Amino acid sequence: MTPAPLRPPPHAEVVIIGGGVIGTSAAFHLAEAGVDVMLLERDELASGSTSKAAGGVRAMFSDPVNIELGLRSLAAFERFGERPGGEIDLAQHGYLFLLDNPDDVAAFESSVALQNRLGVPSRMLDVAQACAMSPYVDPDGLLAAAFSPRDGHCTPEAVVQGYAAGARAHGAVIRRHCEVTGIAAADGHITGVRTATGEVRTGTVICAAGAWSAAVGDMVGVPLPVRPLRRQVLVSEPVPDLPPGLPFTIDFGSTFYFHPEGPGLLMGMSDPEEDFGFDTSRNDAWLGRFAEVAARRAPRLAEVGIAHGWAGLYDMSPDHNAVVGEAPSVSRFLYATGFSGHGFLQGPAIGEVLRDLVLGRPPAVDVSGLDVRRFAHDRSRPERNCV
Ligand SMILES: Cc1cc2nc3c(=O)[nH]c(=O)nc-3n(C[C@H](O)[C@H](O)[C@H](O)COP(=O)(O)OP(=O)(O)OC[C@H]3O[C@@H](n4cnc5c(N)ncnc54)[C@H](O)[C@@H]3O)c2cc1C
């Protein structure tokens, strides 16, 4: 039974809109720093994109900011049991990108060199090495691969619950089933948020509303160019003789990927036919395209039975890179959204960054290049290692 919505307390120094990985991580880091923070989630915690994620965590990116955010987050995932606490099933068997195009090989060679300079232990592999590491892979057409052993995957809902429990332990208020319906501002300053069950006075709002962020930005006249894009995932029945230590394997050209999930495999792929929209129904046309690619790149997996699956939403920005910063037009409206498929893994570091932006100190990672104004000033910065 859905619990009756509780009236939120009348005041908080900072209100966070959205209870996914970004909102709960921000709540934890702010509460730990002694800030009076309230998180408002209209549904259940993690009920948005976070619980639909494949759980991949990595630092193998092309943009130095994403490499830094990934590295910082990996370190936080590794220590999650101590801070904030909780088991997140972290498996660090590496990310393996399979490459079948000379341009992609050249781009990954240069990304790997950059990653190495920034402290990521990634390396290029030949096709035989890649197939030995991920024995389901058919080498046909492959030219090379890139691998990083520290990457891996963990359980998104557990991360959210860990951050939420940690935030509460430091005094944060978290209200579920509490939709923010409006943001009040006067003379360019935020004065509060409206919810169905009452108003909360506040001077600072953080938009952590994922694929729904554009609507939150509209509440305060800040255009956030974030659009929802459906992505689908399948989980197989138990796979006999699952190779131990199987990496998160991605066929970069097709975006088909798989990684171990319990006794089976979690598999996914983007759909070039997909249009932007909030539809999260399962789709048979995608299934046909998925099966065709899987049969080509990992023929033994085409035989595996499917236990269940789901669809969720990527929060897409125009350059497939996050949109993080503080609005210049209204004080103080902060936003962290548009993660375009890599928001789960950046959750820990972005929570630290948001804490620092609220406190007015230099952020843990310099995210000035991710400010939303980049789109108006032709300073977009495409992230190439996206799937
Ligand atoms: C199939 C799939 C696979 C993915 N795989 C990965 C992966 O392997 N690795 C990775 O890093 N990322 C992955 N992602 C992307 C990742 O899930 C997202 O980038 C990330 O979860 C975004 O987190 P968030 O907290 O910003 O948003 P969300 O988790 O969507 O949270 C936003 C919350 O805001 C709430 N909300 C919205 N409007 C309001 C309002 N007005 N009032 C109150 N609450 C509101 C929503 O209910 C929602 O719970 C994947 C996504 C999908 C769909």
Side-chain angles (χ1 to χ4, degrees):
M1 202 171 74
T2 306
L6 283 175
R7 190 183 159 79
H11 177 265
E13 211 176 320
V14 176
V15 170
I16 298 171
I17 304 175
V21 69
I22 300 298
T24 53
S25 170
F28 168 71
H29 287 97
L30 281 162
E32 185 193 46
V35 177
D36 163 31
V37 59
M38 187 188 307
L39 183 151
L40 303 177
E41 163 56 51
R42 68 178 169 200
D43 197 329
E44 295 291 345
L45 294 180
S47 60
S49 300
T50 301
S51 60
K52 312 297 187 308
V57 296
R58 62 176 164 123
M60 284 186 93
F61 285 97
S62 66
D63 184 328
V65 176
N66 290 332
I67 296 171
E68 262 195 271
L69 290 167
L71 267 178
R72 212 174 163 91
S73 292
L74 279 174
F77 286 126
E78 286 162 352
R79 295 191 315 265
F80 203 89
E82 300 147 40
R83 173 176 174 264
E87 176 56 56
I88 60 168
D89 312 315
L90 178 63
Q92 288 173 291
H93 298 151
Y95 253 66
L96 178 68
F97 284 94
L98 308 169
L99 308 169
D100 64 1
N101 170 313
D103 291 342
D104 290 339
V105 175
F108 268 80
E109 280 170 349
S110 112
S111 293
V112 163
L114 174 67
Q115 291 155 14
N116 292 170
R117 285 200 295 281
L118 294 173
V120 180
S122 52
R123 60 183 191 271
M124 298 299 294
L125 301 180
D126 64 28
V127 176
Q129 288 170 315
C131 291
M133 215 171 246
S134 192
Y136 295 118
V137 171
D138 185 318
D140 188 38
L142 292 181
L143 299 175
F147 176 69
S148 189
R150 196 178 169 190
D151 297 347
H153 56 91
C154 59
T155 303
E157 295 88 339
V159 170
V160 166
Q161 293 304 338
Y163 276 135
R168 286 193 188 100
H170 287 290
V173 171
I174 296 183
R175 284 282 183 273
R176 297 170 298 133
H177 305 284
C178 188
E179 178 164 11
V180 173
T181 54
I183 300 175
D187 300 328
H189 293 270
I190 284 177
T191 56
V193 300
R194 289 186 282 278
T195 78
T197 50
E199 291 202 10
V200 180
R201 279 180 289 114
T202 187
T204 302
V205 167
I206 297 177
C207 170
W212 300 269
S213 294
V216 171
D218 286 347
M219 291 177 190
V220 72
V222 176
L224 293 172
V226 175
R227 293 192 287 178
L229 187 66
R230 175 170 58 179
R231 294 292 297 247
Q232 300 181 67
V233 160
L234 299 171
V235 177
S236 78
E237 287 174 348
V239 178
D241 304 323
L242 202 60
L246 191 69
F248 195 131
T249 305
I250 299 171
D251 184 43
F252 189 65
S254 67
T255 77
F256 164 64
Y257 66 83
F258 58 87
H259 71 67
E261 180 82 355
L265 290 166
L266 183 151
M267 302 178 279
M269 190 180 82
S270 70
D271 186 351
E273 306 287 315
E274 192 68 67
D275 281 331
F276 293 109
F278 285 102
D279 182 7
T280 52
S281 60
R282 305 265 304 280
N283 163 304
D284 285 346
W286 170 81
L287 201 55
R289 288 188 275 276
F290 170 87
E292 204 178 296
V293 174
R296 179 164 47 77
R297 183 51 69 215
R300 278 164 60 202
L301 296 187
E303 324 271 294
V304 164
I306 298 304
H308 63 105
W310 61 81
L313 298 172
Y314 269 22
D315 48 333
M316 298 301 292
S317 79
D319 59 7
H320 301 182
N321 224 339
V323 185
V324 183
E326 179 166 1
S329 51
V330 58
S331 173
R332 301 198 65 188
F333 180 75
L334 287 83
Y335 52 83
T337 179
F339 290 96
S340 307
H342 40 270
F344 171 60
L345 70 93
Q346 295 189 343
I350 291 291
E352 292 183 275
V353 163
L354 288 167
R355 171 201 62 204
D356 297 337
L357 292 176
V358 166
L359 295 176
R361 58 196 201 197
V365 174
D366 178 3
V367 292
S368 52
L370 301 180
D371 189 290
V372 70
R373 283 168 287 183
R374 72 182 186 271
F375 300 114
H377 297 104
D378 205 18
R379 289 198 304 262
S380 67
R381 46 186 306 150
E383 169 53 56
R384 284 197 310 271
N385 296 7
C386 286
V387 285

